[in-house]
């Protein structure tokens, strides 16, 4: 008839829902000993539990372990965790690793599984050790995977990521190739009817262009080849990355990041 209420000073149970046994044991070990035994298989999941349950010291131990044991295969996954849970210290460590090993990281499965925020945080870096051509291809492959998973068009998935691509760094031939590829999937938005460009013997002749089309990335790149002038509207698009291969028109740009 009457339900029995527990005493007000009764201990509140610490519930870990949807946690793997190994992760549960690591959390319990920390709670009882103020230390933890980690390995690469569980470190990110233990970090997730630490953030979720407000275990600050455990979070710091996880961040330190993950930062010291980063590999090409897990760097993107660790970066994603850092972005998701707002771990700026881990995010910085992951970016520094990815900047040193960019060509290897972009081939990993975890890179293709990044969120749009995760990949944008990589593409914003001036210190990536990779040329823009393979980087664009990596973004295209990432967008196809994300499009399939989320069931949305490639252009919608990639809209934030492509804003960080630096098409100005491409040669006229490379830019023309990109346009042909882009016509198949609209990875990079190009409104129709905005302008007309002709490339002849790698020499660009600027014919006409509307003010709206001028702000589009591909058009911006063609405009630079025509005028050899850096735009003030998107200065980071004109910055060479650390791994950018030298092209003839680059002497009009700022030196690459060291």
């Amino acid at each position: 008839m009457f339900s029995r209420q527990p005493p007000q000073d009764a201990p509140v149970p610490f519930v870990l829902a949807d946690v793997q046994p190994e992760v549960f044991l690591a959390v319990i070990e920390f709670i009882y000993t103020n230390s933890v035994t980690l390995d690469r298989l569980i470190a990110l999941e233990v970090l997730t539990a630490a953030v979720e349950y407000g275990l600050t010291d455990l979070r710091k131990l996880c961040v330190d372990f993950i930062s010291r044991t980063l590999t090409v295969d897990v760097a993107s996954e660790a970066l994603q965790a850092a972005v998701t849970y707002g771990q700026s210290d881990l995010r910085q460590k992951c970016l520094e690793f990815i900047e040193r090993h960019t060509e290897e990281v972009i081939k990993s499965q975890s890179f293709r599984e990044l969120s749009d925020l995760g990949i944008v945080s990589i593409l914003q870096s001036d210190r990536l050790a990779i040329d823009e051509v393979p980087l664009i291809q990596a973004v295209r492959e990432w967008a196809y995977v994300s499009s399939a998973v989320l069931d949305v068009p490639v252009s919608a998935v990639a809209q934030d990521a492509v804003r960080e691509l630096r098409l100005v760094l491409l040669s006229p031939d490379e830019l023309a190739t990109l346009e042909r590829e882009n016509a198949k999937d609209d990875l990079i938005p190009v409104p129709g009817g905005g302008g007309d460009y002709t490339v002849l013997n790698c020499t660009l002749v600027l014919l006409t262009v509307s003010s709206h089309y001028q702000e589009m990335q591909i058009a911006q790149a063609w405009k630079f080849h025509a005028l050899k002038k850096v735009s003030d509207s998107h200065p980071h698009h004109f910055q060479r990355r650390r791994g950018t291969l030298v092209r003839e028109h680059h002497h009009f740009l700022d030196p690459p990041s060291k």
Side-chain angles (χ1 to χ4, degrees):
M1 181 181 298
F2 299 101
S3 60
R4 183 177 179 181
Q5 300 295 326
Q8 292 186 357
D9 59 351
V12 178
F14 187 79
V15 180
L16 292 175
D18 301 323
V19 172
Q20 296 296 323
E22 295 83 0
V23 177
F24 174 81
L25 291 175
V27 174
I28 294 300
E29 177 189 3
F30 172 78
I31 291 173
Y32 280 97
T33 68
N34 203 37
S35 63
V36 64
T37 303
L38 296 171
D39 60 47
R40 291 176 178 172
L41 297 178
I42 66 169
L44 285 171
E45 292 187 60
V46 176
L47 172 63
T48 299
V51 171
E52 183 174 353
Y53 295 103
L55 301 173
T56 302
D57 289 341
L58 178 58
R59 180 200 67 81
K60 292 178 180 178
L61 290 172
C62 291
V63 167
D64 179 67
F65 177 85
I66 295 168
S67 299
R68 289 186 290 103
T69 59
L70 284 171
T71 66
V72 166
D73 291 330
V74 304
S76 295
E77 185 179 1
L79 175 67
Q80 183 61 59
V83 170
T84 300
Y85 297 113
Q87 304 301 302
S88 57
D89 44 358
L90 178 59
R91 177 181 177 277
Q92 184 59 37
K93 292 291 186 182
C94 291
L95 280 176
E96 290 173 359
F97 181 92
I98 292 170
E99 287 168 346
R100 294 193 302 270
H101 306 280
T102 315
E103 290 190 355
E104 295 86 356
V105 169
I106 65 169
K107 298 174 185 177
S108 67
Q109 182 63 31
S110 61
F111 178 85
R112 297 183 179 92
E113 295 173 351
L114 281 166
S115 69
D116 54 346
L117 291 177
I119 198 167
V120 164
S121 67
I122 294 175
L123 296 176
Q124 289 175 337
S125 173
D126 295 336
R127 297 180 57 79
L128 298 180
I130 191 171
D131 187 61
E132 209 69 16
V133 171
L135 186 61
I136 293 170
Q137 181 58 31
V139 171
R140 173 171 270 111
E141 293 173 2
W142 165 85
Y144 271 93
V145 171
S146 297
S147 173
V149 171
L150 300 175
D151 193 25
V152 295
V154 168
S155 57
V157 167
Q159 60 181 344
D160 291 331
V162 297
R163 293 191 186 107
E164 305 302 329
L165 296 176
R166 305 178 184 185
L167 307 189
V168 169
L169 301 180
L170 304 184
S171 69
D173 284 348
E174 291 167 335
L175 194 55
T177 299
L178 176 64
E179 281 193 299
R180 289 193 293 270
E181 294 174 349
N182 197 63
K184 302 174 185 177
D185 55 24
D186 291 327
L187 176 74
I188 302 169
V190 179
D196 187 11
Y197 294 87
T198 301
V199 179
L200 181 59
N201 296 327
C202 296
T203 301
L204 178 72
V205 180
L206 178 63
L207 300 178
T208 58
V209 60
S210 71
S211 60
H212 179 65
Y213 193 27
Q214 286 179 15
E215 297 305 313
M216 295 295 103
Q217 284 172 275
I218 292 179
Q220 180 191 57
W222 282 127
K223 182 181 178 182
F224 172 78
H225 282 292
L227 304 179
K228 303 298 189 292
K229 183 179 179 181
V230 174
S231 170
D232 295 331
S233 59
H234 302 285
H236 69 286
H237 286 164
F238 298 83
Q239 175 62 54
R240 281 183 276 176
R241 304 185 196 270
R242 185 160 61 92
T244 300
L245 299 178
V246 177
R247 295 164 176 83
E248 183 178 356
H249 68 286
H250 286 181
H251 67 274
F252 294 101
L253 303 175
D254 293 332
S257 179
K258 295 182 179 180

